Amino acid sequence: MQTYRSKLFKDNAVIGKKENISVIILYTQTPLNRKAHRINFIKNSAMQVIATHISNYLLENGFFPGTNSHCVSISYDPQTTALTVTSDVPGLVLDDEELTMELTTEHPSLYHFLYEYIITQIDDINAITPGVMFRRYQVGRATLTCFIDANFESGISFTWKEGVLLATDTAGETHEVPPAFMTPADLLVYTQNYYELKWL
């Protein structure tokens, strides 16, 4: 039997993105045939080692929530292993204390978080920046949320889906956002106008 390793990362940890999943391929040669058996990297013991290492780091450093070196907030629930990653919007300055705008990604499990951010070592957690979060938002893998009141009752969550920007208000109503409103500053104005009309 010959063993070939595909795309080994740091510390021999095998990890990759959705359409580019790294695997270990085992080639079994016989006089009659040659079979390639693909083993999903998530089931590999290397992934378990990474998950245990990252979980211990999050627990030991109090990410309930805590912030990394770029002021990105990471909230970890050790019971369910669910995580929420939150950051400010890069380059946006809010001059009103009642206004809030942030970027968020939700992860139902630690494995999902490792998978989405390609985490293979502790340094990868500190490499998550507001800029990284905004790029994820631009490709539909993060949510931009804006609140215009201090009680977080009047707000809209914006998410890209198949090239369309969708807005969901706090009542759960979803609609498409006109193309004229694209930048975070535009979406702040959009949220304010939206609720002004609802309050009429």
Side-chain angles (χ1 to χ4, degrees):
M1 177 181 291
Q2 294 178 328
T3 302
Y4 299 87
R5 295 183 181 273
S6 174
K7 294 182 181 176
L8 292 183
F9 285 70
K10 303 177 185 69
D11 300 325
N12 293 324
V14 183
I15 192 167
K17 285 187 176 180
K18 282 188 175 179
E19 297 82 15
N20 186 25
I21 295 177
S22 298
V23 295
I24 292 177
I25 305 175
L26 302 179
Y27 290 99
T28 304
Q29 294 182 322
T30 68
L32 298 178
N33 60 20
R34 179 176 180 175
K35 297 180 180 179
H37 302 281
R38 297 168 65 97
I39 303 174
N40 192 308
F41 79 98
I42 295 178
K43 296 179 181 178
N44 189 272
S45 59
M47 191 63 180
Q48 297 176 6
V49 171
I50 294 171
T52 300
H53 188 51
I54 297 300
S55 178
N56 290 340
Y57 173 80
L58 295 173
L59 290 172
E60 291 169 2
N61 289 274
F63 281 89
F64 314 117
T67 57
N68 72 1
S69 56
H70 295 284
C71 296
V72 173
S73 174
I74 300 175
S75 181
Y76 178 51
D77 182 347
Q79 299 299 320
T80 64
T81 76
L83 292 98
T84 301
V85 184
T86 307
S87 80
D88 292 335
V89 179
L92 182 69
V93 178
L94 301 175
D95 54 7
D96 188 331
E97 293 183 356
E98 291 194 349
L99 301 178
T100 303
M101 183 172 276
E102 60 186 19
L103 296 157
T104 305
T105 60
E106 301 280 352
H107 307 278
S109 70
L110 178 59
Y111 282 99
H112 185 273
F113 169 68
L114 301 179
Y115 177 77
E116 284 288 309
Y117 283 93
I118 316 180
I119 304 294
T120 64
Q121 57 181 350
I122 300 302
D123 287 348
D124 293 334
I125 292 179
N126 289 314
I128 302 174
T129 67
V132 168
M133 297 285 289
F134 189 71
R135 288 192 291 274
R136 292 179 62 83
Y137 158 72
Q138 291 177 309
V139 297
R141 305 196 76 81
T143 299
L144 188 153
T145 303
C146 178
F147 284 98
I148 59 172
D149 67 309
N151 295 322
F152 300 100
E153 296 176 349
S154 302
I156 295 180
S157 295
F158 300 93
T159 307
W160 285 97
K161 185 176 182 180
E162 298 178 354
V164 176
L165 184 58
L166 300 177
T168 303
D169 64 19
T170 49
E173 299 179 5
T174 300
H175 57 274
E176 292 186 16
V177 178
F181 298 89
M182 289 292 118
T183 69
D186 292 338
L187 297 178
L188 174 58
V189 173
Y190 181 87
T191 303
Q192 292 171 322
N193 293 343
Y194 178 83
Y195 280 97
E196 284 177 3
L197 291 174
K198 288 181 73 72
W199 293 335
L200 290 178

